[in-house]
Amino acid sequence: MADEIVLLSTWPSMFSMRVRVALAEKGLEYEYREEDLWNKSPLLLKMNPVHKKIPVLIHNGKPICESMIIVEYIDEVWNHKSPLLPTDPYQRAEARFWADYVDKKLYDIGKKIIWSTKGEEQETGKKEFIECLKLLERELGDNPYFGGENFGFVDVSLVTFSCWFHTYESYGNFSIETECPKLIAWTKRCLEKESVSSSLADPHKIHDFASGMRKRFGIE
Amino acid sequence: MADEIMLLDWWSSMFGMRVRIALVEKGLKYESREEDLNNKSPLLLEMNPVHTKIPVLIHNGKPICESPIIVQYIDEVWKDKSPLLPADPYQRARARFWADYIDNKIFQLGGKIWTRKGEDREAAKKELMECLKILEGELGEKPYFGGENFGFVDVSLVTFSCWFYAYESCGNFSIEAECPKLIAWTKRCLQKSSVSSSLPDPLKIHDFVVQLRKKFGIE
C-alpha cells in the first residue's frame, strides 16, 4: 500500500526545509501544505496540539513533530536508501550532539541579528553567531560533509540555515564567507545535491520576507 | 575487555540523574565523579569543551554529552537489556517528542519558581502545572510513559520528581493536588531500584535550594 505523506510547512522555515531535504534524500513523494501562521489550520492544531508549530509530518494519518525528530523518523522508516545517521552508536551520538548544538544556538542567536531594535544586542548576536559558525567549521574540518564522505544528519540540520545567511549578513553587516570560507564551500557543495537545491528557498526571497516582517513589526 | 565507564556528574542535577538511572537499568558498573561547578575540572573542560556542562559520560575514554543523547547512546550500545526506547519508529518519535517537551519546559519553569519572586514566580507556577497536566494526560492509564515498561520518557521526567518538594515549598502549592496520577507514577517509578538509587532525597534538594536562595538574596 502506498504511503500517504503530508508535510505541514511554511516556505521560509529552515526547520521545514530540513524535512523536505530528508524526504527528497529518500526519494519520497508527499503532499506539501503551506500553513498561514497567523491563521493556523484546524489540521495543524489537531496534529500538533502541544506546540501548534510547523513542520509536522503526517505519515498515514499519524503526526510526527519537531524537525530533527521527524528527520530521524524518516531515516528509520525508509532505512534502505541514503542513510542520514551513521550505524555506529558513538558516531550517532556525535551527530545528535551537533544537530542539537545547531538547534540550541543558531536560530535564537540569529534572531537577535535580524529582529533586534537595539544596536548592542545585534552586535552581540553577530559575534556569537560567528563564533558558533566557526566552531561548526572546525568540526567539519577537511571532511566534505559533517557526515564524513556522505551527506548526513548534521548536514541536514545546518544547511537549511544557509538560505538565511544573506539575510543575517545584510542586517548584521558582515560576510560569513570572510569569516568561515570552508563552511560556505560546504554549503555550495551541499547545494549541488538536488535534495538540497530543491528544498531550500531563494536567499533573496528570504531577505524580502524578513524585510516585510521587520516592517510589519515596525523595526524597519 | 571490560568497558571503562565514567560519569562526570553533580549530585542535584536532574540531567545527571537520568544517566545514573540508565546505567543502573542496564546493570552497568561505572565510576562517578562529582564535579565542582564553580571550579570545573580539567577533565570536564577537555571532555565537554563546547558546553562545559555535566553530565558527561566517558566510555572507554570517549565523551558523550547531553543527557538525552547519553541515554540513547547507552540504550543503543547495551541493547540486550532493559530497552528504554521502543522498537517501532513511530513510538520512538513520540518518545523523543515528549522527552524534548520535558527538556524545553520543566527545567526553566521549575527554575523560575525558586529563583524569582511575585508575578514572575506565579506565572511560572501556572505554566509548570499546565505542562505537568499535559504530561499526566499523555501518561493516561498506563503504568509508565513507556507503556507496560519503564522507558525513555520516564527516565527524562522522573528525575524532576525529587525537585518537586522544593518547587512546591517555594511556590506554595501542591503538585499532588493538581496531578495525582503523575505523583502516583513517580511513586511507582521510585519502587524501581534504578530510580530510588539514583535520585537524592527531596529534603536535601529543598535544603540546597534554601541555601542558594539565601546566598542570592531571593525570598
Side-chain angles (χ1 to χ4, degrees):
Chain A
M1 193 189 80
D3 283 298
E4 233 183 62
I5 306 172
V6 176
L7 174 62
L8 306 183
S9 171
T10 60
W11 72 267
S13 161
M14 53 284 262
F15 304 104
S16 288
M17 289 174 216
R18 290 165 162 180
V19 181
R20 298 178 65 186
V21 171
L23 289 166
E25 279 286 304
K26 302 292 185 175
L28 295 167
E29 274 177 29
Y30 62 99
E31 181 192 337
Y32 177 94
R33 285 207 199 177
E34 182 75 14
E35 279 288 329
D36 173 1
L37 297 183
W38 302 103
N39 186 18
K40 293 173 180 179
S41 72
L43 183 63
L44 173 57
L45 300 176
K46 177 181 167 199
M47 291 289 152
N48 191 358
V50 174
H51 298 303
K52 307 179 178 61
K53 286 181 172 178
I54 55 86
V56 181
L57 189 80
I58 311 172
H59 181 207
N60 296 333
K62 300 202 289 188
I64 305 99
C65 308
E66 296 301 305
S67 61
M68 293 320 290
I69 294 176
I70 300 172
V71 171
E72 223 173 322
Y73 173 79
I74 290 169
D75 201 40
E76 287 178 7
V77 174
W78 292 279
N79 56 8
H80 55 286
K81 184 182 179 181
S82 300
L84 297 170
L85 270 165
T87 46
D88 171 69
Y90 188 76
Q91 287 175 12
R92 289 160 74 82
E94 284 209 315
R96 288 180 179 130
F97 176 87
W98 287 107
D100 177 69
Y101 178 83
V102 172
D103 265 356
K104 280 186 164 84
K105 299 281 187 179
L106 281 191
Y107 183 71
D108 286 334
I109 297 174
K111 273 201 304 199
K112 292 186 206 176
I113 302 174
I114 302 172
W115 314 113
S116 269
T117 47
K118 298 172 209 159
E120 218 181 281
E121 199 186 347
Q122 200 184 46
E123 274 309 298
T124 314
K126 189 169 110 188
K127 259 178 102 181
E128 279 176 8
F129 194 76
I130 294 169
E131 271 165 31
C132 290
L133 291 183
K134 283 193 163 142
L135 181 64
L136 286 159
E137 196 182 48
R138 283 200 294 280
E139 176 56 22
L140 177 66
D142 291 318
N143 294 317
Y145 301 103
F146 285 89
E149 290 303 310
N150 299 309
F151 183 80
F153 193 69
V154 182
D155 302 279
V156 175
S157 69
L158 181 60
V159 76
T160 61
F161 280 81
S162 69
C163 58
W164 277 78
F165 282 177
H166 168 59
T167 302
Y168 293 133
E169 289 170 316
S170 174
Y171 289 112
N173 193 27
F174 67 117
S175 157
I176 294 174
E177 185 153 22
T178 307
E179 306 272 358
C180 301
K182 279 186 167 174
L183 202 67
I184 295 302
W186 162 81
T187 69
K188 291 177 180 166
R189 187 176 306 123
C190 291
L191 277 157
E192 285 168 18
K193 291 172 70 58
E194 212 204 306
S195 61
V196 178
S197 59
S198 65
S199 303
L200 265 53
D202 177 324
H204 295 285
K205 286 199 172 134
I206 295 284
H207 187 274
D208 290 344
F209 166 76
S211 174
M213 291 295 280
R214 279 167 56 103
K215 286 194 179 98
R216 191 170 185 167
F217 290 115
I219 303 166
E220 198 159 290
Chain B
M1 193 188 80
D3 283 298
E4 237 181 58
I5 305 171
M6 189 188 290
L7 175 62
L8 305 184
D9 199 356
W10 164 250
W11 74 275
S12 70
S13 162
M14 48 290 259
F15 306 105
M17 290 171 215
R18 290 166 168 180
V19 182
R20 290 176 223 163
I21 294 175
L23 289 166
V24 177
E25 280 286 307
K26 302 290 186 176
L28 296 167
K29 287 198 162 69
Y30 66 98
E31 181 192 340
S32 178
R33 282 213 198 168
E34 184 76 1
E35 280 287 327
D36 174 357
L37 298 181
N38 295 308
N39 186 18
K40 292 173 181 177
S41 72
L43 183 64
L44 173 56
L45 300 177
E46 184 197 337
M47 291 288 149
N48 191 357
V50 175
H51 299 304
T52 64
K53 284 180 174 180
I54 59 90
V56 180
L57 188 79
I58 310 173
H59 181 207
N60 296 334
K62 299 201 291 189
I64 305 99
C65 308
E66 295 302 303
S67 63
I69 296 175
I70 300 173
V71 172
Q72 276 186 93
Y73 173 80
I74 290 168
D75 202 40
E76 288 177 10
V77 174
W78 291 280
K79 54 184 188 293
D80 300 324
K81 184 179 182 193
S82 300
L84 295 170
L85 270 163
D88 171 69
Y90 187 73
Q91 298 302 329
R92 290 159 74 80
R94 282 183 66 91
R96 288 177 179 131
F97 174 85
W98 286 108
D100 176 72
Y101 177 82
I102 291 160
D103 266 356
N104 283 324
K105 299 279 185 184
I106 312 295
F107 183 71
Q108 286 89 338
L109 292 171
K112 282 186 188 172
I113 293 174
W114 67 269
T115 59
R116 306 277 174 96
K117 298 185 240 188
E119 244 174 67
D120 271 356
R121 187 172 67 198
E122 284 309 299
K125 198 166 105 186
K126 228 180 134 201
E127 219 187 313
L128 178 72
M129 284 323 303
E130 276 164 21
C131 292
L132 292 180
K133 283 193 173 128
I134 287 173
L135 286 161
E136 195 181 51
E138 173 58 21
L139 177 66
E141 298 303 317
K142 306 192 293 292
Y144 301 104
F145 285 91
E148 288 306 307
N149 299 308
F150 184 80
F152 190 64
V153 181
D154 302 279
V155 175
S156 311
L157 183 61
V158 77
T159 61
F160 284 87
S161 68
C162 59
W163 278 77
F164 282 175
Y165 177 62
Y167 296 154
E168 289 169 318
S169 199
C170 295
N172 191 28
F173 67 117
S174 158
I175 295 174
E176 185 155 21
E178 310 250 10
C179 298
K181 281 185 168 173
L182 201 67
I183 297 302
W185 161 83
T186 69
K187 290 177 179 164
R188 189 176 304 124
C189 291
L190 278 157
Q191 286 169 5
K192 293 172 69 57
S193 70
S194 61
V195 177
S196 58
S197 64
S198 303
L199 268 52
D201 182 348
L203 292 171
K204 282 204 172 125
I205 299 279
H206 175 265
D207 290 346
F208 170 64
V209 164
V210 166
Q211 256 176 49
L212 282 177
R213 279 162 63 93
K214 278 198 183 101
K215 184 175 175 177
F216 294 118
I218 308 160
E219 208 29 69

